[in-house]
C-alpha cells in the first residue's frame, strides 16, 4: 500500500464509520427505513434530485442544491485552510472563529461605506477582510514568540474578545445601521450592489464567486507549501523549529507569516459570507464555521487539497441536512457526522495499525537456528 493511500484511508474510513454510526442512531430512535430515507433526502438536498431531473424535471432541481452546497463548502474551505496553514508551522489555530468575525465586519464596512467600481469594490472588501483577520491572528503569534503564551490559550481568548467587540458592541452600537437615529435594526448597513459577489448561474442558483475563489486559494496554498522555498521552510519550522533554526531558517518570520496568512484566510471566510449571502454584517454570524474549520482540516489531513475535498463533502451534507426534517429527523445530523468523523480521525494510530495488520502478511514462525557450539578448551 502506497504512503499516499495510507495517509488518506484513515480519514475516509472515519467518515464512513461516522455515517454508519449516525445511521444506527436514527434507526434506533426511528426505524431503518426512515434512516435510509433521511440519508437520501440529505444527499438530494446537497447534490440535487437527479431522479426527478432525469424524469424531465427542471434543471433547478440540480443547480439550486448544488449552489447551497458550494456556499457552505466555500466557508468551510477557507476556515479549514486557516487551521491547516497554522498546523504547517506547528501552531494550533483555534481562533479562526474570531478572525472570521473581524474579517466579516471589515468587509461589511468597506462594502457599505465605499463607492467604487464593482471589481475594485469586491477586491477592496476582500482585502480589508484578509488584513483584519491576519492582524487579529498575529496577536497570538506575537504573544507566542515574545512572551511564550501558548497559541491555544491566546486564540481561544481572542475568540471571546472578538465576539464581545464585534457582536456585542460594534454591530449593535456604533456600526449599526441607522445608528444615531430612532431606527430599530440589528447589524450593519447593507453593502452596495457593487460589492456583492456575482452569482455565476443567475437566478438558477445562489452559487457565487466565493466558491471558485476558495478553490483557487487552496490550489495556491498547495503550490506555496509544496513548490516554493518559503513554503518548504514553513513546513520545516513546523516539523522541528530548533533544527530549522540551526539550518538558518528564520523561524520567527516564518511563524508570523504563516499565522498572518491563517488569519487572513479566516477573514476571507467572513468576507465571502457577507459579500455572497448576507450582504451586511448581521447581529451575529450564528454558525460557527471557524470552529468547523478544525474538523475540516484534520479530516483533510491538513493538506490543502484534502481540506478542499473535506469541505466539499461536508458542504454537501450541511446543505442537505435541512431536507432530513421532511422525515422528522433533526437537521443537526450532518454536524454530528462531522464531529464523529473528527473523533475517529483522532484515533489515527488505530486505523494505521489495522491497515498495517491487513496489508503486511504475518511472517511465518521461524525455527530457531541452532547456536554454534562453543569449542571447549
Amino acid at each position: 500500500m502506497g504512503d499516499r493511500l495510507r495517509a488518506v484511508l484513515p480519514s475516509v474510513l472515519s467518515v464512513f464509520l461516522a455515517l454508519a454510526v449516525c445511521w444506527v442512531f436514527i434507526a434506533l430512535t426511528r426505524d431503518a427505513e426512515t434512516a435510509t430515507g433521511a440519508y437520501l433526502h440529505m444527499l438530494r438536498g446537497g447534490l440535487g434530485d437527479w431522479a426527478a431531473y432525469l424524469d424531465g424535471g427542471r434543471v433547478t432541481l440540480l443547480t439550486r442544491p448544488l449552489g447551497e452546497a458550494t456556499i457552505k463548502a466555500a466557508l468551510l474551505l477557507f476556515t479549514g485552510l486557516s487551521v491547516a496553514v497554522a498546523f504547517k508551522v506547528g501552531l494550533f489555530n483555534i481562533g479562526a472563529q474570531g478572525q472570521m468575525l473581524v474579517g466579516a465586519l471589515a468587509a461589511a464596512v468597506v462594502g457599505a461605506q465605499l463607492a467604487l467600481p464593482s471589481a475594485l469594490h469586491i477586491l477592496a472588501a476582500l482585502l480589508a477582510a484578509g488584513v483584519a483577520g491576519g492582524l487579529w491572528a498575529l496577536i497570538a503569534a506575537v504573544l507566542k514568540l515574545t512572551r511564550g503564551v501558548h497559541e491555544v490559550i491566546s486564540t481561544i481568548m481572542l475568540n471571546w474578545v472578538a465576539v464581545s467587540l464585534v457582536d456585542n458592541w460594534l454591530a449593535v452600537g456604533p456600526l449599526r445601521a441607522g445608528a444615531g437615529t430612532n431606527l430599530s435594526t440589528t447589524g450593519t448597513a447593507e453593502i452596495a450592489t457593487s460589492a456583492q459577489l456575482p452569482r455565476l448561474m443567475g437566478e438558477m442558483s445562489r452559487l457565487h464567486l466565493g466558491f471558485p475563489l476558495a478553490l483557487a486559494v487552496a490550489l495556491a496554498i498547495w503550490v506555496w507549501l509544496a513548490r516554493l522555498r518559503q513554503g518548504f521552510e514553513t513546513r520545516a519550522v513546523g516539523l522541528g523549529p530548533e533544527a530549522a533554526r540551526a539550518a538558518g531558517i528564520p523561524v520567527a518570520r516564518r511563524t508570523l507569516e504563516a499565522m498572518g496568512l491563517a488569519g487572513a484566510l479566516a477573514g476571507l471566510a467572513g468576507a465571502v459570507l457577507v459579500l455572497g449571502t448576507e450582504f451586511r454584517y448581521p447581529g451575529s454570524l450564528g454558525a460557527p464555521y471557524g470552529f468547523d474549520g478544525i474538523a475540516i482540516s484534520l479530516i483533510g489531513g491538513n493538506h490543502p487539497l484534502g481540506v478542499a475535498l473535506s469541505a466539499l463533502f461536508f458542504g454537501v451534507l450541511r446543505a442537505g441536512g435541512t431536507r432530513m426534517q421532511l422525515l422528522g429527523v433533526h437537521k443537526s445530523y450532518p454536524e454530528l457526522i462531522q464531529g464523529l468523523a473528527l473523533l475517529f480521525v483522532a484515533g489515527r494510530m488505530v486505523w494505521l495499525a489495522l491497515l498495517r495488520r491487513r496489508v503486511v502478511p504475518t511472517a511465518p514462525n521461524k525455527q530457531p537456528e541452532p547456536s554454534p557450539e562453543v569449542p571447549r578448551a
Side-chain angles (χ1 to χ4, degrees):
M1 183 184 297
D3 291 339
R4 291 184 179 179
L5 183 59
R6 188 176 299 169
V8 169
L9 270 182
S11 295
V12 175
L13 293 173
S14 298
V15 170
F16 277 113
L17 182 57
L19 287 168
V21 169
C22 285
W23 185 91
V24 171
F25 283 166
I26 300 173
L28 290 175
T29 53
R30 301 292 299 277
D31 56 68
E33 184 179 356
T34 301
T36 304
Y39 270 37
L40 291 176
H41 274 293
M42 181 170 62
L43 292 177
R44 290 192 195 105
L47 296 174
D49 193 342
W50 283 86
Y53 171 70
L54 294 176
D55 282 342
R58 295 172 299 171
V59 70
T60 52
L61 291 170
L62 304 180
T63 56
R64 285 178 178 166
L66 287 172
E68 298 304 312
T70 56
I71 287 173
K72 297 185 183 304
L75 300 175
L76 294 173
L77 179 49
F78 273 122
T79 55
L81 289 173
S82 172
V83 178
V85 167
F87 265 131
K88 292 299 181 185
V89 81
L91 298 181
F92 194 0
N93 179 25
I94 303 185
Q97 183 68 20
Q99 296 146 20
M100 181 179 172
L101 286 179
V102 297
L105 183 67
V109 171
V110 171
Q113 302 301 325
L114 294 185
L116 294 169
S118 181
L120 289 178
H121 205 172
I122 293 172
L123 185 60
L126 291 173
L127 185 61
V131 170
L135 291 176
W136 198 256
L138 281 177
I139 297 174
V142 171
L143 289 173
K144 171 85 173 181
L145 293 172
T146 59
R147 308 301 298 173
V149 179
H150 201 286
E151 75 278 3
V152 171
I153 303 298
S154 58
T155 51
I156 289 175
M157 294 297 104
L158 285 169
N159 281 336
W160 291 109
V161 173
V163 170
S164 299
L165 182 67
V166 176
D167 284 0
N168 298 340
W169 179 45
L170 293 174
V172 297
L175 299 181
R176 178 176 63 87
T181 66
N182 293 327
L183 290 175
S184 178
T185 56
T186 58
T188 61
E190 190 166 327
I191 65 172
T193 54
S194 58
Q196 295 179 6
L197 294 177
R199 291 189 178 182
L200 303 182
M201 302 182 74
E203 296 299 321
M204 291 196 302
S205 172
R206 292 207 302 164
L207 169 64
H208 56 64
L209 188 62
F211 181 63
L213 177 64
L215 291 178
V217 169
L219 184 61
I221 289 177
W222 174 73
V223 171
W224 172 62
L225 288 171
R227 296 288 185 266
L228 300 184
R229 175 183 175 182
Q230 192 179 30
F232 171 78
E233 291 182 350
T234 300
R235 290 188 289 125
V237 171
L239 292 172
E242 294 305 322
R245 187 176 290 108
I249 295 175
V251 173
R253 185 193 303 174
R254 295 292 174 255
T255 302
L256 289 172
E257 290 171 352
M259 198 61 182
L261 177 59
L265 291 167
L268 286 176
V272 167
L273 181 64
V274 167
L275 306 179
T277 54
E278 298 289 339
F279 305 128
R280 65 190 179 93
Y281 188 93
S284 174
L285 282 190
Y289 287 104
F291 294 116
D292 291 333
I294 299 171
I296 296 300
S297 177
L298 292 175
I299 294 171
N302 297 321
H303 190 288
L305 303 184
V307 173
L309 290 175
S310 175
L312 188 57
F313 178 78
F314 283 102
V316 168
L317 296 192
R318 299 281 283 270
T322 53
R323 293 281 297 266
M324 300 175 82
Q325 296 179 102
L326 296 173
L327 296 180
V329 177
H330 200 272
K331 64 179 181 179
S332 64
Y333 265 94
E335 285 88 342
L336 181 58
I337 294 170
Q338 180 180 297
L340 286 174
L342 173 62
L343 181 66
F344 297 143
V345 165
R348 183 182 184 83
M349 298 307 296
V350 177
W351 287 116
L352 292 177
L354 291 174
L355 291 171
R356 194 179 300 117
R357 181 175 301 177
R358 181 176 179 78
V359 171
V360 179
T362 305
N365 294 329
K366 295 182 179 179
Q367 295 296 327
E369 296 181 359
S371 57
E373 293 184 358
V374 179
R376 297 181 179 179

